C-alpha cells in the first residue's frame, strides 16, 4: 500500500504538489470512487484514474541530462551508478532510457526518454543525427588531423568512418562533429591518429545543445522548442 499522491507522482506525470492538488480537486478516482485525501493508501494494483484516464497510460517523457563522468549510461548495471540514479523518484519506473550511449568517463548531453519509436528513429544509422563533442587529447592536433577526419578516418579494426568535421580550438582541444555513432568512436578515431583522448564531452545531439545552466548531474525536461526540433529530425 502507498499514498495516493505518491502513486500519482511515481508516474513522472505530476509533481507531488500537482498530484495533491489533483486529488483535492476531486479529479482522481480509485476503483471508480473519488478520493480527495492525498494520504489515502492504495494497493499496488488498484486502478487509479485522473479525469477518467488510467495513470498507467503512458505519457512520453523527454529529459536533457548533463551526464557527469563516473556514471554509466545503461539503466541497470550491477555495481555501477547509472544515469537513472541521478533522477528523482518520480522518474524511476516509467521506462526511461538514454537515446544513445556515452562512455562512463564521458560527460555531457544525454537525452533520456521513454519514447521508444523516437529514440529508434534518432539512433537509426540512416538518420545521421549530428553529434558534436568537445575533446582534449594527449598530443598536438594539426591540419592533418582535420583533413583525415574530413576524409573519414579508418579505425584499427578497418572500419571506415563517415566524413566528419574537426574544428581546432587549441593545440590539444577541438570540437569534433560526427554523423554516425559507433562504439567509442571519438576515442578510436583519435587513437588511430596517435592522439589519445584525455577528456570528452558531448555538447550537441542533433538539434539539442547542452544547456550551459545545467551543472554536471543535473537535468531538465526538454522545452517545447527542443521537442519540436527532435520530432522534425
Ligand atoms: N565517442 C567515444 O569515444 N565515447 C563516447 O562516450 C562518445 C563518443
Amino acid at each position: 500500500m502507498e499514498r495516493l499522491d505518491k502513486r500519482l507522482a511515481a508516474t513522472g506525470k505530476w509533481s507531488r504538489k500537482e498530484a495533491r492538488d489533483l486529488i483535492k480537486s476531486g479529479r482522481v478516482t480509485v476503483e471508480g470512487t473519488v478520493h480527495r485525501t492525498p494520504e489515502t493508501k492504495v494497493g499496488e494494483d488498484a486502478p487509479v484514474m485522473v479525469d477518467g484516464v488510467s495513470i498507467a497510460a503512458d505519457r512520453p517523457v523527454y529529459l536533457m541530462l548533463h551526464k557527469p563522468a563516473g556514471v554509466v549510461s545503461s539503466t541497470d548495471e550491477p555495481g555501477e551508478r547509472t544515469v537513472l540514479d541521478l533522477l528523482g523518484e518520480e522518474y524511476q519506473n516509467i521506462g526511461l532510457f538514454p537515446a544513445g550511449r556515452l562512455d562512463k568517463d564521458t560527460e555531457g548531453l544525454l537525452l533520456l526518454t521513454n519514447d521508444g519509436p523516437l529514440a529508434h528513429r534518432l539512433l537509426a544509422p540512416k538518420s545521421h543525427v549530428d553529434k558534436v563533442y568537445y575533446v582534449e587529447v594527449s598530443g598536438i592536433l594539426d591540419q592533418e588531423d582535420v583533413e583525415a577526419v574530413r576524409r573519414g578516418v579508418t579505425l584499427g579494426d578497418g572500419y571506415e568512418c563517415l566524413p566528419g568535421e574537426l574544428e581546432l580550438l587549441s593545440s590539444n582541444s577541438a570540437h569534433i562533429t560526427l554523423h554516425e555513432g559507433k562504439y567509442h568512436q571519438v576515442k578510436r578515431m583519435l587513437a588511430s591518429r596517435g592522439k589519445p583522448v584525455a577528456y570528452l564531452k558531448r555538447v550537441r545531439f542533433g538539434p539539442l545543445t547542452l544547456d550551459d545552466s545545467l551543472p554536471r548531474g543535473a537535468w531538465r525536461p526538454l522545452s517545447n522548442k527542443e521537442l519540436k526540433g527532435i520530432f522534425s529530425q
Side-chain angles (χ1 to χ4, degrees):
M1 300 283 272
E2 70 176 334
R3 286 171 56 127
L4 185 52
D5 55 351
K6 202 168 164 200
R7 180 79 192 283
L8 289 182
T11 62
K13 300 176 188 181
W14 304 278
S15 67
R16 213 45 191 265
K17 156 118 189 29
E18 287 167 339
R20 279 197 290 272
D21 291 346
L22 280 174
I23 296 164
K24 287 183 190 159
S25 63
R27 292 167 59 187
V28 180
T29 59
V30 182
E31 291 177 51
T33 305
V34 173
H35 283 260
R36 291 176 186 268
T37 316
E39 296 79 18
T40 303
K41 291 280 202 297
V42 291
E44 211 172 288
D45 300 321
V48 177
M49 290 189 172
V50 174
D51 297 334
V53 178
S54 166
I55 62 165
D58 274 351
R59 185 199 65 161
V61 170
Y62 307 89
L63 303 177
M64 175 188 292
L65 170 73
H66 185 166
K67 178 192 172 299
V71 300
V72 295
S73 3
S74 51
T75 49
D76 61 340
E77 206 164 311
E80 294 284 5
R81 203 165 166 233
T82 76
V83 285
L84 288 189
D85 295 332
L86 300 169
L87 306 180
E89 187 190 351
E90 69 270 34
Y91 290 107
Q92 293 307 319
N93 294 307
I94 57 168
L96 285 180
F97 62 92
R101 297 268 169 111
L102 293 177
D103 297 335
K104 185 173 175 182
D105 58 355
T106 301
E107 297 185 343
L109 172 54
L110 201 57
L111 169 65
L112 295 170
T113 185
N114 54 0
D115 182 341
L118 175 85
H120 287 300
R121 199 148 50 73
L122 292 175
L123 299 174
K126 67 172 166 30
S127 68
H128 299 303
V129 172
D130 291 358
K131 290 123 197 143
V132 183
Y133 298 85
Y134 168 79
V135 62
E136 292 175 8
V137 300
S138 304
I140 307 284
L141 291 166
D142 56 29
Q143 265 325 111
E144 282 181 33
D145 300 313
V146 173
E147 267 308 297
V149 172
R150 196 186 60 75
R151 283 194 307 270
V153 170
T154 303
L155 301 181
D157 61 2
Y159 177 77
E160 290 181 20
C161 297
L162 289 180
E165 290 89 46
L166 186 71
E167 182 201 346
L168 302 184
L169 300 172
S170 73
S171 61
N172 72 336
S173 67
H175 277 137
I176 183 165
T177 304
L178 303 183
H179 310 285
E180 60 184 339
K182 300 286 171 203
Y183 184 62
H184 290 331
Q185 189 166 356
V186 176
K187 290 177 184 165
R188 290 195 294 152
M189 283 170 78
L190 291 165
S192 82
R193 303 284 312 154
K195 321 218 168 146
V197 167
Y199 174 78
L200 189 60
K201 174 179 181 175
R202 183 154 68 191
V203 293
R204 197 154 75 71
F205 177 67
L208 303 178
T209 300
L210 181 62
D211 183 338
D212 282 343
S213 69
L214 278 183
R216 289 186 183 91
W219 52 270
R220 65 156 173 77
L222 294 191
S223 66
N224 285 339
K225 192 164 166 227
E226 289 166 336
L227 285 172
K228 265 195 203 133
I230 55 169
F231 279 100
S232 56
Q233 264 286 310

